[in-house]
Amino acid sequence: MVQAIVFDAYGTLFDVHSVEKKAEQLFPGNGREISERWRQKQIEYTFLRQLMGIYEPFSKVTTDSLRYTCKELELELGESDEQALRNEYLNLDVFQEAKGVLEGLNDYQRVIFSNGSRDMIEPLVSQSVISSLIHKIISVNDYKQYKPVPASYQSVLRNLNVKRDEVLFVSANGWDIIGASAFGFRTAWVNRKHLPLEELDVRPDIESADLSGVLRLLNHTD
Amino acid sequence: MVQAIVFDAYGTLFDVHSVEKKAEQLFPGNGREISERWRQKQIEYTFLRQLMGIYEPFSKVTTDSLRYTCKELELELGESDEQALRNEYLNLDVFQEAKGVLEGLNDYQRVIFSNGSRDMIEPLVSQSVISSLIHKIISVNDYKQYKPVPASYQSVLRNLNVKRDEVLFVSANGWDIIGASAFGFRTAWVNRKHLPLEELDVRPDIESADLSGVLRLLNHTD
């Protein structure tokens, strides 16, 4: 039986593409592309640092991936632009349905488990409308193991003192859902972009267009 | 002193985008995008399988990533289309300068070290114009460790009986070059697309627009 609902943060509860507005203001005509490439590169750098064994915290990875993105797009990123865009990550929009869904889960422990380092994820959550609805934040930076390696998901068990199948893990990132499913969590994939399931021979327990699918799953099965 | 020149295969000696022609023939108007997304997804799946500890050979990853790509682009991939596109990977074009550069390296052991499984990489090399210029093929599938994990580059040392700094590793893939440099190989990045260097705090020894940079490096330093 599910004891804890564990949410990914970026892309799942918080909209990383909220940065587009500021990016567009600083680099007119390029906001969308900066936002998309930055996010892609940020994820890629967590994968690569994990694979190569050269871990650095998400705050550094986020800056590095922004710098790469601007070089690739041939945009000159001044120090104040960089600071302004980094700051956007501390004030991302919460997805519209998130508050209501979290309120509906009041029988469960509600946890965030994020690649974000505490200097990024803690101010983001505490300044948001869902702050009081989250019991605990687990950062991969405490163990320096990025998702989706098994050692990373293992840190959730250690923190919450639960078994694998007592966790319902919720993420909008397909690779994160596959990693968590392969590890043995129950999983809900929030497929906001209506993407195909990754062809990695692992399936989530449910798929839903937004977070409300989590409520439906729990009403049916618990 | 350099003892062995170790080449990545896909993108470095062989042009993976040779598949575009057949893809365009099968799916008019989509050849370019299929080729690009397929390659991206293929690489991503090697990263993810390595991170998650769910290794499968490159031949399977190549099929899976093609299937994902077609689903994402909403193209119906029949069995014969799939077979035809897979077959293209056994007949990729050799980059124009490759043969001359390999001939110029006749004082060195010339090796291919590839993510490709032997069912893919061996027919590709043996049917190509550079077949007689390659002394040895090392496949990550012999050790089931995809690049860029250190254990993967380690298999090169075991196979060739050389030390890290006796290897000059040549790749067009930025992440592969960073992984090899972090491992301790000497590295030459063939930056065919004029991309920025990845922001991962590691630099290749040289960067060059095509393979001929390898000859220049060896003439200067050995």
Side-chain angles (χ1 to χ4, degrees):
Chain A
M1 192 171 137
V2 170
Q3 304 289 335
I5 321 284
V6 178
F7 293 88
D8 170 59
Y10 299 115
T12 303
L13 295 172
F14 298 95
D15 185 358
V16 290
H17 296 298
S18 327
V19 305
E20 184 180 324
K21 202 172 147 194
K22 174 64 77 181
E24 181 64 28
Q25 197 182 309
L26 295 172
F27 300 102
N30 294 283
R32 180 80 178 268
E33 199 163 8
I34 289 172
S35 175
E36 288 189 353
R37 291 292 297 140
W38 185 10
R39 174 62 176 161
Q40 270 172 3
K41 210 69 195 173
Q42 181 193 46
I43 294 171
E44 190 190 333
Y45 280 179
T46 61
F47 292 169
L48 288 173
R49 286 192 171 277
Q50 183 68 38
L51 287 163
M52 293 173 186
I54 53 172
Y55 183 94
E56 292 285 346
F58 202 63
S59 46
K60 174 164 164 53
V61 164
T62 299
T63 305
D64 290 346
S65 50
L66 173 61
R67 288 179 183 171
Y68 183 93
T69 297
C70 289
K71 283 184 189 166
E72 195 187 15
L73 300 177
E74 297 179 352
L75 300 169
E76 194 160 345
L77 180 73
E79 218 169 296
S80 66
D81 303 329
E82 185 177 295
Q83 195 56 51
L85 286 166
R86 281 170 55 99
N87 281 346
E88 289 298 296
Y89 252 87
L90 307 180
N91 288 291
L92 300 172
D93 298 337
V94 174
F95 283 108
Q96 201 186 346
E97 80 281 12
K99 191 162 182 278
V101 169
L102 285 164
E103 283 167 347
L105 297 170
N106 48 11
D107 292 341
Y108 299 91
Q109 199 178 4
R110 284 153 289 170
V111 176
I112 287 178
F113 172 51
S114 171
N115 268 344
S117 39
R118 292 196 176 274
D119 55 338
M120 292 181 70
I121 188 75
E122 286 183 348
L124 174 63
V125 175
S126 71
Q127 290 165 35
S128 77
V129 294
I130 58 170
S131 174
S132 65
L133 298 165
I134 297 295
H135 297 113
K136 192 167 198 164
I137 296 172
I138 306 171
S139 164
V140 305
N141 195 54
D142 298 349
Y143 302 89
K144 302 192 166 37
Q145 300 282 350
Y146 279 117
K147 297 188 272 183
V149 294
S152 187
Y153 300 109
Q154 182 69 35
S155 71
V156 171
L157 303 186
R158 242 180 312 180
N159 264 275
L160 302 182
N161 197 24
V162 292
K163 296 190 186 130
R164 296 183 193 210
D165 62 358
E166 292 172 343
V167 171
L168 174 62
F169 182 72
V170 184
S171 179
N173 297 298
W175 52 269
D176 193 10
I177 278 295
I178 301 290
S181 302
F183 181 72
F185 288 164
R186 295 173 68 174
T187 51
W189 180 29
V190 181
N191 187 6
R192 296 190 187 280
K193 293 181 194 154
H194 306 285
L195 293 172
L197 181 68
E198 299 292 352
E199 296 276 337
L200 290 164
D201 307 320
V202 180
R203 299 192 73 83
D205 290 291
I206 63 148
E207 181 183 328
S208 161
D210 66 29
L211 291 163
S212 61
V214 177
L215 292 177
R216 285 197 302 277
L217 174 74
L218 292 168
N219 289 336
H220 277 111
T221 61
D222 274 10
Chain B
M1 192 172 137
V2 171
Q3 303 290 335
I5 321 284
V6 177
F7 293 88
D8 170 59
Y10 300 114
T12 303
L13 294 172
F14 298 94
D15 185 358
V16 289
H17 296 297
S18 327
V19 304
E20 183 181 326
K21 202 171 147 195
K22 173 64 76 179
E24 180 65 27
Q25 199 183 309
L26 295 172
F27 300 101
N30 294 284
R32 179 78 178 269
E33 200 163 9
I34 290 171
S35 176
E36 288 188 354
R37 291 292 296 140
W38 184 11
R39 173 63 175 161
Q40 270 173 4
K41 209 70 196 171
Q42 181 193 47
I43 295 171
E44 189 190 334
Y45 280 179
T46 61
F47 293 170
L48 288 173
R49 286 192 169 278
Q50 184 67 39
L51 287 162
M52 294 174 185
I54 53 171
Y55 183 94
E56 291 285 344
F58 202 64
S59 46
K60 173 165 165 54
V61 165
T62 299
T63 305
D64 290 345
S65 50
L66 173 61
R67 288 179 183 171
Y68 183 93
T69 297
C70 289
K71 284 184 189 166
E72 194 187 17
L73 300 178
E74 297 178 353
L75 300 169
E76 193 159 346
L77 181 72
E79 218 170 295
S80 68
D81 302 330
E82 184 179 295
Q83 195 54 52
L85 287 166
R86 282 170 54 99
N87 280 345
E88 289 299 294
Y89 253 87
L90 308 180
N91 287 291
L92 300 171
D93 298 337
V94 174
F95 283 108
Q96 202 186 345
E97 80 281 11
K99 190 161 186 277
V101 169
L102 285 164
E103 284 167 346
L105 297 170
N106 48 11
D107 290 343
Y108 299 92
Q109 200 177 2
R110 284 153 289 168
V111 176
I112 285 177
F113 173 51
S114 172
N115 268 344
S117 39
R118 292 195 176 273
D119 55 338
M120 291 181 70
I121 189 74
E122 286 184 347
L124 173 64
V125 174
S126 71
Q127 290 164 36
S128 77
V129 294
I130 58 170
S131 173
S132 66
L133 298 165
I134 297 295
H135 296 114
K136 193 168 196 161
I137 296 172
I138 306 172
S139 164
V140 305
N141 194 55
D142 297 349
Y143 301 89
K144 303 193 168 32
Q145 301 282 349
Y146 279 116
K147 297 189 268 184
V149 295
S152 188
Y153 300 109
Q154 182 70 33
S155 71
V156 171
L157 303 185
R158 242 179 310 178
N159 264 276
L160 302 181
N161 198 23
V162 292
K163 296 189 187 129
R164 295 183 192 211
D165 63 357
E166 292 171 343
V167 170
L168 174 62
F169 182 71
V170 184
S171 180
N173 297 298
W175 53 268
D176 193 12
I177 278 296
I178 300 290
S181 301
F183 180 74
F185 287 163
R186 296 173 68 175
T187 51
W189 181 28
V190 181
N191 186 6
R192 296 190 188 280
K193 294 180 193 157
H194 306 285
L195 292 172
L197 181 66
E198 300 292 351
E199 296 276 337
L200 291 163
D201 307 320
V202 180
R203 300 192 71 82
D205 291 291
I206 63 148
E207 180 184 330
S208 161
D210 67 29
L211 290 162
S212 61
V214 177
L215 291 176
R216 286 196 302 278
L217 174 74
L218 292 167
N219 289 337
H220 278 111
T221 60
D222 275 9

